Coordinates of all heavy atoms in Angstrom, one line a residue:
M1 N 6.8 -4.4 21.9 CA 6.1 -4.1 20.6 C 7.2 -4.3 19.5 O 8.3 -3.8 19.6 CB 5.5 -2.8 20.7 CG 4.8 -2.3 19.4 SD 3.9 -0.8 19.7 CE 3.4 -0.5 18.1
I2 N 6.7 -4.8 18.3 CA 7.6 -4.9 17.1 C 7.6 -3.5 16.5 O 6.7 -2.9 16.1 CB 7.0 -5.9 16.2 CG1 6.9 -7.3 16.9 CG2 8.0 -6.1 15.0 CD1 6.3 -8.4 16.0
A3 N 8.8 -3.0 16.3 CA 8.9 -1.7 15.7 C 9.2 -2.0 14.2 O 8.7 -1.1 13.3 CB 9.9 -0.8 16.3
D4 N 10.1 -2.8 14.0 CA 10.6 -2.9 12.5 C 10.6 -4.4 12.1 O 10.8 -5.3 13.1 CB 12.0 -2.4 12.2 CG 11.9 -0.9 12.5 OD1 10.9 -0.2 12.1 OD2 12.9 -0.3 12.9
V5 N 10.5 -4.7 11.0 CA 10.7 -6.1 10.4 C 11.9 -6.1 9.5 O 12.0 -5.3 8.6 CB 9.5 -6.5 9.7 CG1 9.8 -7.9 9.1 CG2 8.3 -6.6 10.5
N6 N 12.9 -6.9 9.8 CA 14.1 -7.0 8.9 C 13.9 -8.1 7.9 O 13.6 -9.2 8.2 CB 15.2 -7.5 9.9 CG 16.6 -7.5 9.1 OD1 16.6 -7.2 7.9 ND2 17.7 -7.8 9.8
L7 N 13.8 -7.5 6.7 CA 13.5 -8.4 5.5 C 14.7 -8.3 4.6 O 14.8 -7.3 3.8 CB 12.2 -8.0 4.9 CG 11.7 -9.0 3.7 CD1 11.3 -10.3 4.3 CD2 10.4 -8.3 3.1
F8 N 15.6 -9.2 4.6 CA 16.8 -9.3 3.7 C 17.7 -8.2 3.9 O 18.1 -7.6 3.0 CB 16.4 -9.5 2.2 CG 15.6 -10.7 2.0 CD1 14.2 -10.6 1.5 CD2 16.1 -12.0 2.2 CE1 13.6 -11.8 1.3 CE2 15.4 -13.1 1.9 CZ 14.1 -13.0 1.4
G9 N 17.8 -7.6 5.1 CA 18.7 -6.5 5.4 C 18.0 -5.2 5.4 O 18.5 -4.1 5.7
L10 N 16.7 -5.2 4.9 CA 15.9 -3.9 4.8 C 15.0 -3.9 6.0 O 14.3 -4.9 6.3 CB 15.2 -3.8 3.5 CG 16.1 -3.6 2.2 CD1 15.3 -3.7 1.0 CD2 17.0 -2.3 2.3
F11 N 14.9 -2.8 6.7 CA 14.0 -2.7 7.7 C 12.6 -1.9 7.3 O 12.7 -0.9 6.7 CB 14.6 -1.9 8.9 CG 15.7 -2.6 9.6 CD1 17.0 -2.4 9.2 CD2 15.4 -3.4 10.6 CE1 18.1 -3.1 9.8 CE2 16.3 -4.3 11.3 CZ 17.7 -4.1 10.8
F12 N 11.6 -2.7 7.5 CA 10.2 -2.1 7.2 C 9.4 -1.9 8.5 O 9.5 -2.7 9.4 CB 9.5 -3.0 6.2 CG 10.1 -3.2 4.9 CD1 10.9 -4.3 4.7 CD2 9.9 -2.2 4.0 CE1 11.5 -4.5 3.5 CE2 10.6 -2.4 2.7 CZ 11.4 -3.4 2.5
D13 N 8.6 -0.9 8.5 CA 7.7 -0.6 9.7 C 6.5 -1.6 9.6 O 6.2 -2.0 8.6 CB 7.2 0.8 9.5 CG 6.4 1.2 10.8 OD1 6.8 0.7 11.9 OD2 5.5 2.1 10.7
V14 N 6.2 -2.0 10.8 CA 5.1 -3.1 10.8 C 3.8 -2.5 10.3 O 3.0 -3.2 9.7 CB 4.9 -3.5 12.3 CG1 3.7 -4.4 12.5 CG2 6.1 -4.2 12.8
A15 N 3.6 -1.2 10.4 CA 2.4 -0.6 9.8 C 2.3 -0.8 8.3 O 1.3 -1.0 7.8 CB 2.2 0.9 10.2
L16 N 3.5 -0.6 7.7 CA 3.6 -0.9 6.2 C 3.2 -2.3 5.8 O 2.5 -2.5 4.8 CB 4.9 -0.4 5.7 CG 5.2 -0.5 4.2 CD1 4.3 0.5 3.4 CD2 6.6 -0.2 3.9
I17 N 3.8 -3.2 6.5 CA 3.6 -4.6 6.4 C 2.1 -5.0 6.5 O 1.4 -5.6 5.7 CB 4.4 -5.5 7.2 CG1 5.9 -5.1 7.0 CG2 4.1 -7.0 6.9 CD1 6.5 -5.4 5.6
T18 N 1.5 -4.5 7.6 CA 0.1 -4.8 7.8 C -0.8 -4.1 6.8 O -1.9 -4.7 6.4 CB -0.3 -4.5 9.3 OG1 0.0 -3.0 9.4 CG2 0.4 -5.2 10.3
A19 N -0.4 -3.0 6.3 CA -1.2 -2.3 5.3 C -1.3 -3.1 4.0 O -2.3 -3.2 3.4 CB -0.7 -0.8 5.0
F20 N 0.0 -3.7 3.6 CA 0.0 -4.4 2.4 C -0.8 -5.7 2.6 O -1.4 -6.1 1.5 CB 1.5 -4.8 2.0 CG 2.1 -3.7 1.4 CD1 3.5 -3.3 1.7 CD2 1.6 -3.0 0.3 CE1 4.2 -2.3 1.1 CE2 2.2 -1.9 -0.2 CZ 3.5 -1.6 0.1
V21 N -0.8 -6.3 3.7 CA -1.6 -7.5 4.0 C -3.1 -7.2 3.9 O -3.9 -7.9 3.2 CB -1.3 -8.2 5.3 CG1 -2.2 -9.3 5.6 CG2 0.2 -8.7 5.3
A22 N -3.5 -6.0 4.5 CA -4.9 -5.5 4.3 C -5.3 -5.3 3.0 O -6.4 -5.5 2.5 CB -5.0 -4.4 5.2
L23 N -4.3 -4.7 2.2 CA -4.6 -4.3 0.7 C -4.8 -5.7 -0.1 O -5.8 -5.7 -0.9 CB -3.5 -3.5 0.2 CG -3.7 -3.1 -1.3 CD1 -4.9 -2.1 -1.3 CD2 -2.4 -2.4 -1.7
A24 N -4.1 -6.6 0.3 CA -4.2 -7.9 -0.5 C -5.5 -8.7 -0.1 O -6.3 -9.1 -1.0 CB -3.1 -8.9 -0.1
A25 N -5.9 -8.6 1.1 CA -7.2 -9.1 1.6 C -8.3 -8.2 0.9 O -9.4 -8.8 0.6 CB -7.4 -9.1 3.1
L26 N -8.2 -6.9 0.8 CA -9.2 -6.1 0.2 C -9.4 -6.4 -1.3 O -10.6 -6.4 -1.8 CB -9.0 -4.6 0.3 CG -9.9 -3.7 -0.3 CD1 -11.3 -3.7 0.4 CD2 -9.3 -2.2 -0.3
T27 N -8.3 -6.7 -2.0 CA -8.4 -7.1 -3.3 C -9.2 -8.4 -3.5 O -10.1 -8.5 -4.4 CB -7.0 -7.3 -3.9 OG1 -6.3 -6.1 -3.7 CG2 -7.0 -7.7 -5.4
V28 N -9.0 -9.3 -2.6 CA -9.8 -10.6 -2.8 C -11.2 -10.4 -2.5 O -12.1 -10.8 -3.1 CB -9.1 -11.7 -1.8 CG1 -10.0 -12.9 -1.7 CG2 -7.7 -12.0 -2.2
L29 N -11.4 -9.5 -1.3 CA -12.8 -9.2 -1.0 C -13.6 -8.5 -2.0 O -14.7 -8.6 -2.2 CB -12.8 -8.5 0.4 CG -14.2 -8.2 1.1 CD1 -14.9 -9.5 1.4 CD2 -14.0 -7.4 2.3
R30 N -12.8 -7.5 -2.7 CA -13.6 -6.7 -3.7 C -13.9 -7.6 -4.9 O -15.1 -7.5 -5.4 CB -12.6 -5.7 -4.3 CG -12.4 -4.5 -3.4 CD -11.9 -3.3 -4.0 NE -12.8 -2.8 -5.1 CZ -12.6 -2.5 -6.3 NH1 -11.4 -2.7 -6.8 NH2 -13.5 -2.0 -7.1
R31 N -13.1 -8.5 -5.3 CA -13.5 -9.5 -6.3 C -14.7 -10.3 -6.0 O -15.5 -10.6 -6.9 CB -12.3 -10.3 -6.7 CG -11.2 -9.6 -7.4 CD -10.1 -10.5 -7.8 NE -9.0 -9.6 -8.5 CZ -8.2 -10.1 -9.3 NH1 -8.3 -11.3 -9.7 NH2 -7.3 -9.3 -9.8
L32 N -14.7 -10.7 -4.7 CA -15.9 -11.6 -4.2 C -17.2 -10.6 -4.3 O -18.3 -11.1 -4.7 CB -15.6 -12.0 -2.9 CG -16.8 -12.9 -2.3 CD1 -16.8 -14.2 -3.0 CD2 -16.4 -13.1 -0.8
L33 N -17.1 -9.4 -3.8 CA -18.2 -8.5 -3.8 C -18.7 -8.2 -5.3 O -19.9 -8.0 -5.4 CB -18.0 -7.2 -3.0 CG -17.7 -7.4 -1.5 CD1 -17.4 -6.1 -0.9 CD2 -19.0 -7.9 -0.8
V34 N -17.8 -8.0 -6.2 CA -18.2 -7.7 -7.4 C -18.9 -9.0 -8.1 O -19.9 -8.9 -8.8 CB -16.9 -7.3 -8.3 CG1 -17.3 -7.3 -9.7 CG2 -16.5 -5.9 -8.0
A35 N -18.3 -10.1 -7.8 CA -18.9 -11.4 -8.3 C -20.4 -11.7 -7.9 O -21.2 -12.1 -8.6 CB -18.0 -12.6 -8.1
V36 N -20.6 -11.3 -6.6 CA -21.8 -11.4 -5.9 C -22.8 -10.3 -6.4 O -24.1 -10.5 -6.5 CB -21.7 -11.5 -4.4 CG1 -23.1 -11.4 -3.7 CG2 -21.0 -12.6 -4.0
G37 N -22.4 -9.2 -6.8 CA -23.2 -8.0 -7.3 C -23.5 -7.1 -6.1 O -24.6 -6.4 -6.2
A38 N -22.7 -7.1 -5.1 CA -23.1 -6.3 -3.9 C -22.9 -4.7 -4.1 O -23.5 -4.0 -3.5 CB -22.2 -6.7 -2.7
Y39 N -22.1 -4.5 -5.1 CA -21.9 -3.0 -5.4 C -23.0 -2.4 -6.0 O -23.0 -1.1 -6.2 CB -20.5 -2.9 -6.2 CG -19.2 -2.9 -5.4 CD1 -18.4 -3.9 -5.7 CD2 -19.0 -2.0 -4.5 CE1 -17.3 -4.0 -4.9 CE2 -17.8 -2.0 -3.7 CZ -16.9 -3.1 -4.0 OH -15.8 -3.2 -3.2
R40 N -24.0 -3.0 -6.6 CA -25.1 -2.5 -7.1 C -26.0 -1.8 -6.1 O -26.9 -0.9 -6.4 CB -26.0 -3.5 -7.9 CG -25.4 -4.1 -9.1 CD -26.2 -5.0 -9.8 NE -26.4 -6.2 -8.8 CZ -27.2 -7.1 -9.0 NH1 -27.9 -7.2 -10.2 NH2 -27.4 -8.2 -8.2
W41 N -25.8 -2.2 -4.8 CA -26.7 -1.8 -3.8 C -26.0 -0.7 -2.9 O -26.7 -0.2 -1.9 CB -27.1 -2.9 -2.8 CG -27.7 -4.1 -3.5 CD1 -27.2 -5.2 -4.0 CD2 -29.1 -4.0 -3.9 NE1 -28.2 -6.0 -4.6 CE2 -29.3 -5.3 -4.5 CE3 -30.2 -3.2 -3.6 CZ2 -30.7 -5.6 -5.0 CZ3 -31.4 -3.5 -4.2 CH2 -31.6 -4.7 -4.8
V42 N -24.9 -0.2 -3.2 CA -24.3 0.8 -2.5 C -24.2 2.2 -3.3 O -24.2 2.1 -4.5 CB -22.9 0.5 -2.1 CG1 -22.9 -0.7 -1.0 CG2 -21.9 0.2 -3.2
W43 N -24.2 3.2 -2.6 CA -24.2 4.6 -3.2 C -22.9 4.9 -3.8 O -22.8 5.4 -4.9 CB -24.6 5.6 -2.2 CG -24.5 7.0 -2.7 CD1 -25.2 7.6 -3.6 CD2 -23.5 8.0 -2.2 NE1 -24.7 8.9 -3.9 CE2 -23.7 9.1 -3.1 CE3 -22.6 8.0 -1.3 CZ2 -23.0 10.3 -2.8 CZ3 -21.9 9.1 -1.1 CH2 -22.1 10.3 -1.9
H44 N -21.8 4.7 -3.1 CA -20.5 5.1 -3.6 C -19.5 4.0 -3.2 O -18.9 3.9 -2.2 CB -20.1 6.4 -2.8 CG -19.0 7.2 -3.4 ND1 -18.7 7.1 -4.7 CD2 -18.2 8.2 -3.0 CE1 -17.7 7.9 -5.0 NE2 -17.4 8.6 -3.9
P45 N -19.2 3.1 -4.2 CA -18.4 1.9 -3.9 C -17.0 2.4 -3.5 O -16.4 1.6 -2.6 CB -18.3 1.2 -5.3 CG -19.6 1.6 -6.0 CD -19.9 3.0 -5.5
P46 N -16.3 3.4 -3.9 CA -15.0 3.7 -3.3 C -15.0 3.9 -1.9 O -14.1 3.7 -1.2 CB -14.6 4.9 -4.1 CG -15.2 4.8 -5.5 CD -16.5 4.2 -5.1
L47 N -16.1 4.6 -1.3 CA -16.2 4.8 0.1 C -16.3 3.5 0.8 O -15.7 3.3 1.9 CB -17.4 5.6 0.4 CG -17.2 7.1 0.1 CD1 -18.6 7.9 0.4 CD2 -16.1 7.8 0.9
I48 N -17.0 2.5 0.2 CA -17.1 1.2 0.8 C -15.7 0.5 0.9 O -15.4 -0.2 1.8 CB -18.1 0.3 0.1 CG1 -19.5 1.0 0.2 CG2 -18.2 -1.1 0.6 CD1 -20.1 1.1 1.5
D49 N -15.1 0.6 -0.3 CA -13.7 0.0 -0.3 C -12.7 0.8 0.8 O -12.0 0.0 1.4 CB -13.0 0.3 -1.7 CG -13.7 -0.5 -2.8 OD1 -14.4 -1.5 -2.4 OD2 -13.6 -0.1 -3.9
L50 N -12.8 2.0 1.0 CA -12.0 2.7 1.9 C -12.4 2.3 3.3 O -11.5 2.0 4.2 CB -12.1 4.2 1.9 CG -11.3 5.1 2.8 CD1 -9.9 4.8 2.6 CD2 -11.7 6.5 2.8
A51 N -13.6 2.1 3.7 CA -14.0 1.6 4.9 C -13.6 0.1 5.2 O -13.2 -0.2 6.2 CB -15.5 1.7 5.1
L52 N -13.7 -0.7 4.1 CA -13.3 -2.1 4.2 C -11.9 -2.1 4.5 O -11.4 -3.0 5.2 CB -13.9 -2.9 3.0 CG -15.2 -3.3 2.9 CD1 -15.5 -3.8 1.5 CD2 -15.6 -4.2 4.0
F53 N -11.1 -1.3 3.8 CA -9.6 -1.2 3.9 C -9.3 -0.9 5.5 O -8.4 -1.5 6.0 CB -9.0 -0.3 3.1 CG -7.5 -0.2 3.3 CD1 -6.7 -1.2 2.9 CD2 -7.0 1.0 3.8 CE1 -5.3 -1.1 3.2 CE2 -5.6 1.1 4.1 CZ -4.7 0.0 3.8
G54 N -10.0 0.1 6.0 CA -9.8 0.5 7.4 C -10.0 -0.6 8.4 O -9.2 -0.9 9.3
V55 N -11.1 -1.3 8.2 CA -11.5 -2.4 9.0 C -10.6 -3.6 8.9 O -10.1 -4.3 10.0 CB -13.0 -2.9 8.7 CG1 -13.3 -4.2 9.4 CG2 -14.0 -1.8 9.1
L56 N -10.1 -3.8 7.6 CA -9.1 -4.9 7.5 C -7.8 -4.6 8.0 O -7.2 -5.5 8.5 CB -9.0 -5.3 6.0 CG -10.3 -6.0 5.3 CD1 -10.1 -6.1 3.9 CD2 -10.5 -7.4 5.9
W57 N -7.4 -3.4 7.9 CA -6.2 -3.0 8.4 C -6.0 -3.0 10.0 O -5.1 -3.5 10.6 CB -5.8 -1.5 7.9 CG -4.4 -1.2 8.1 CD1 -3.4 -1.9 8.6 CD2 -3.8 0.1 7.8 NE1 -2.1 -1.2 8.6 CE2 -2.4 0.0 8.1 CE3 -4.3 1.3 7.3 CZ2 -1.6 1.2 8.0 CZ3 -3.4 2.4 7.1 CH2 -2.1 2.3 7.5
L58 N -7.2 -2.7 10.5 CA -7.2 -2.7 12.0 C -7.3 -4.1 12.5 O -6.5 -4.5 13.4 CB -8.6 -2.0 12.5 CG -9.0 -2.2 14.0 CD1 -7.8 -1.4 14.8 CD2 -10.3 -1.7 14.3
A59 N -7.9 -5.1 11.7 CA -8.0 -6.5 12.1 C -6.6 -7.0 11.9 O -6.2 -7.8 12.8 CB -9.0 -7.2 11.2
V60 N -5.9 -6.7 10.9 CA -4.6 -7.3 10.7 C -3.6 -6.8 11.8 O -2.7 -7.4 12.3 CB -4.0 -7.0 9.3 CG1 -2.6 -7.4 9.2 CG2 -4.9 -7.7 8.3
A61 N -3.8 -5.5 12.1 CA -2.8 -4.8 13.1 C -3.0 -5.5 14.5 O -2.2 -5.7 15.3 CB -3.0 -3.3 13.1
V62 N -4.3 -5.7 14.9 CA -4.7 -6.3 16.2 C -4.1 -7.7 16.2 O -3.6 -8.2 17.2 CB -6.2 -6.2 16.4 CG1 -6.6 -7.2 17.5 CG2 -6.6 -4.8 16.6
A63 N -4.3 -8.5 15.0 CA -3.9 -9.8 14.9 C -2.3 -9.9 15.2 O -1.8 -10.7 15.8 CB -4.3 -10.5 13.8
A64 N -1.7 -8.8 14.5 CA -0.2 -8.9 14.6 C 0.2 -8.5 16.1 O 1.3 -9.1 16.5 CB 0.4 -7.8 13.6
T65 N -0.4 -7.8 16.8 CA 0.0 -7.5 18.1 C -0.4 -8.7 19.0 O 0.3 -8.9 20.0 CB -0.7 -6.2 18.7 OG1 -2.1 -6.2 18.6 CG2 -0.2 -5.0 17.9
Q66 N -1.5 -9.4 18.8 CA -1.8 -10.6 19.6 C -0.9 -11.7 19.4 O -0.6 -12.3 20.4 CB -3.2 -10.9 19.3 CG -4.4 -10.0 19.7 CD -4.4 -9.8 21.1 OE1 -4.2 -10.8 21.9 NE2 -4.7 -8.6 21.7
F67 N -0.4 -11.8 18.2 CA 0.6 -13.0 17.9 C 1.9 -12.5 17.7 O 2.7 -13.0 16.9 CB 0.0 -13.7 16.8 CG -1.4 -14.3 16.8 CD1 -2.4 -13.8 16.1 CD2 -1.6 -15.3 17.7 CE1 -3.7 -14.3 16.3 CE2 -2.8 -15.9 17.9 CZ -3.9 -15.3 17.1
Q68 N 2.3 -11.5 18.6 CA 3.6 -10.9 18.4 C 4.8 -11.9 18.6 O 5.7 -11.9 17.7 CB 3.7 -9.7 19.4 CG 5.0 -9.0 19.3 CD 4.8 -7.8 20.3 OE1 3.9 -7.5 20.8 NE2 6.1 -7.2 20.7
E69 N 4.8 -12.6 19.6 CA 5.8 -13.5 19.9 C 6.0 -14.6 18.7 O 7.1 -14.9 18.4 CB 5.7 -14.3 21.2 CG 5.6 -13.4 22.5 CD 4.3 -12.7 22.7 OE1 3.3 -13.2 22.2 OE2 4.4 -11.7 23.4
Y70 N 4.8 -15.1 18.2 CA 4.9 -16.0 17.1 C 5.5 -15.3 15.9 O 6.3 -16.0 15.2 CB 3.6 -16.6 16.8 CG 3.5 -17.6 15.8 CD1 4.1 -18.9 15.9 CD2 3.0 -17.3 14.6 CE1 4.1 -19.7 14.8 CE2 2.9 -18.1 13.5 CZ 3.5 -19.4 13.6 OH 3.5 -20.3 12.5
L71 N 5.2 -14.1 15.7 CA 5.6 -13.4 14.4 C 7.2 -13.2 14.5 O 7.9 -13.2 13.5 CB 4.9 -12.1 14.2 CG 3.5 -12.3 13.8 CD1 2.8 -10.9 13.7 CD2 3.4 -13.0 12.4
V72 N 7.6 -12.8 15.7 CA 9.1 -12.7 16.0 C 9.8 -13.9 15.7 O 10.9 -13.9 15.0 CB 9.3 -12.1 17.3 CG1 10.8 -12.1 17.7 CG2 8.8 -10.7 17.5
Y73 N 9.3 -15.0 16.1 CA 9.9 -16.3 15.9 C 9.8 -16.7 14.4 O 10.8 -17.2 13.8 CB 9.2 -17.4 16.7 CG 9.7 -18.8 16.4 CD1 11.0 -19.2 16.8 CD2 8.9 -19.7 15.7 CE1 11.4 -20.5 16.6 CE2 9.4 -21.0 15.4 CZ 10.6 -21.3 15.8 OH 11.0 -22.6 15.6
L74 N 8.8 -16.5 13.8 CA 8.5 -16.7 12.3 C 9.4 -15.9 11.4 O 10.1 -16.4 10.5 CB 7.1 -16.6 12.0 CG 6.7 -17.1 10.6 CD1 6.8 -18.6 10.5 CD2 5.3 -16.6 10.3
L75 N 9.5 -14.6 11.7 CA 10.3 -13.7 10.8 C 11.7 -13.7 11.2 O 12.5 -13.1 10.4 CB 9.7 -12.3 10.8 CG 8.2 -12.2 10.4 CD1 7.6 -10.9 10.5 CD2 8.1 -12.6 8.8
G76 N 12.1 -14.1 12.2 CA 13.5 -14.3 12.6 C 13.9 -13.1 13.4 O 14.7 -12.4 13.7

């Protein structure tokens, strides 16, 4: 299991990296949902955003564990 990512001499936890990737994906997804008008149909948009962030973070974390060997080779 990857515990840390060495980025220019600084060690970052994988959970932090996957959270940032999920946040970037959530930003793109939110803009798409606003453009489509999907937020007009939900009761509390921040709850939807939180749930989407959780799902995206889980998906990125699972993908990171599935492709662990490739990520180690890619990140050095």
Side-chain angles (χ1 to χ4, degrees):
M1 181 173 175
I2 303 172
D4 295 324
V5 174
N6 184 358
L7 188 63
F8 302 114
L10 296 173
F11 290 95
F12 294 101
D13 190 29
V14 173
L16 181 66
I17 303 297
T18 56
F20 281 135
V21 171
L23 185 64
L26 178 65
T27 303
V28 171
L29 187 60
R30 281 194 74 229
R31 289 183 183 207
L32 179 69
L33 290 174
V34 167
V36 170
Y39 280 116
R40 292 181 299 174
W41 299 99
V42 297
W43 171 66
H44 200 19
L47 287 177
I48 299 298
D49 291 340
L50 181 64
L52 284 174
F53 176 73
V55 169
L56 289 171
W57 194 5
L58 176 67
V60 171
V62 167
T65 58
Q66 291 296 321
F67 301 110
Q68 178 177 348
E69 293 85 19
Y70 179 70
L71 289 174
V72 168
Y73 174 73
L74 185 67
L75 297 175

